[in-house]
Amino acid sequence: MKSEILSVDNTSRRVRYRTDRDLGECVRVLAEVHEHDGYPVNWPDHPGAWLTPPSLIASWVVELDGRVAGHIGLSRSGAGDVAPGLWSARAGVSTEATAVVSRLFVAPSARGHGIGALLMARAVTEARDRGLHPVLDVVASGTAAAALYERLGWQLLATVEQQWSPEQRVAVRCYAAAGT
C-alpha cells in the first residue's frame, strides 16, 4: 500500500489508499461535512455504499495526526456525470478516456492544512498514470469546492441544470483538469 507522509505547520499528513476498515470513519467525517456544508446535497441511504460505487477505480484518505481527515475517489464515468461527455466532445475522444474525481471531502476541523489539494493531486496523478483525463461535476452552490478546483488550475467546461428527482433540479458546474 503506497502512502505519502508530509509535515506542514507541525502536523503530520499521510495520504494512503482507503481500506474497508476506513469506511466507518469516512462515514463519520462525511456526516460532519454534511452537517457543516450540506455535502452531499442529498444524504445517501447507505453512505458506505455511496463511498464505494461499482464504478470506483481507487480511493484515498488523508490522515491528519493519525485520524482520517479527508477522502477522495476516482471512478469511471457514470450515467449522471456530465463532465466526461463535455470534455470528451471538446477533446474528440470517448468518455472512456476520462476518470471522474468524486466524493472529495475534508473534515471541517482539518481544513487549512492543504488536504483538499493533496487529495486532488493524488487522484489526478492516478488518472494520468492510467492514461485518463480527470474531470468532475460539482453542485454550483459548492463555491468553496469550485474555488479549490479553479485555484488548482481546473478549467470550467460549463454549468448545466440536472434533474435529480421530480422535485429537485440542481445547477452543476463541470470541470476538467488542465492539460491534455
Side-chain angles (χ1 to χ4, degrees):
M1 179 180 303
K2 289 192 262 181
S3 68
E4 302 171 38
I5 298 176
L6 304 162
S7 290
V8 173
D9 301 331
N10 297 322
T11 60
S12 176
R13 303 177 304 169
R14 183 173 81 134
V15 178
R16 62 175 174 77
Y17 284 100
R18 187 197 70 209
T19 68
D20 290 343
R21 289 189 320 263
D22 295 318
L23 278 178
E25 190 66 9
C26 288
V27 168
R28 184 192 65 73
V29 173
L30 182 63
E32 287 178 14
V33 170
H34 180 71
E35 184 176 319
H36 188 269
D37 303 321
Y39 174 83
V41 171
N42 299 321
W43 183 254
D45 291 335
H46 304 285
W50 185 79
L51 291 171
T52 57
S55 59
L56 189 68
I57 295 169
S59 58
W60 301 266
V61 293
V62 166
E63 290 180 344
L64 180 65
D65 296 327
R67 296 198 58 178
V68 171
H71 176 277
I72 198 166
L74 187 68
S75 298
R76 291 282 178 192
S77 177
D81 299 319
V82 179
L86 292 171
W87 183 82
S88 64
R90 286 187 186 186
V93 298
S94 163
T95 58
E96 296 296 315
T98 65
V100 179
V101 175
S102 62
R103 312 306 198 244
L104 171 61
F105 55 91
V106 176
S109 63
R111 294 180 183 165
H113 296 282
I115 291 172
L118 187 62
L119 286 166
M120 288 292 291
R122 184 64 195 96
V124 167
T125 297
E126 181 77 18
R128 294 199 191 284
D129 287 351
R130 292 172 178 262
L132 302 171
H133 193 88
V135 298
L136 61 86
D137 298 336
V138 61
V139 293
S141 61
T143 55
L148 170 66
Y149 307 142
E150 291 172 11
R151 197 168 51 251
L152 296 175
W154 284 61
Q155 301 167 346
L156 178 63
L157 299 170
T159 300
V160 300
E161 292 281 324
Q162 285 186 316
Q163 194 75 40
W164 284 8
S165 73
E167 310 82 37
Q168 189 178 32
R169 192 162 180 80
V170 179
V172 176
R173 295 170 61 95
C174 304
Y175 286 90
T180 56

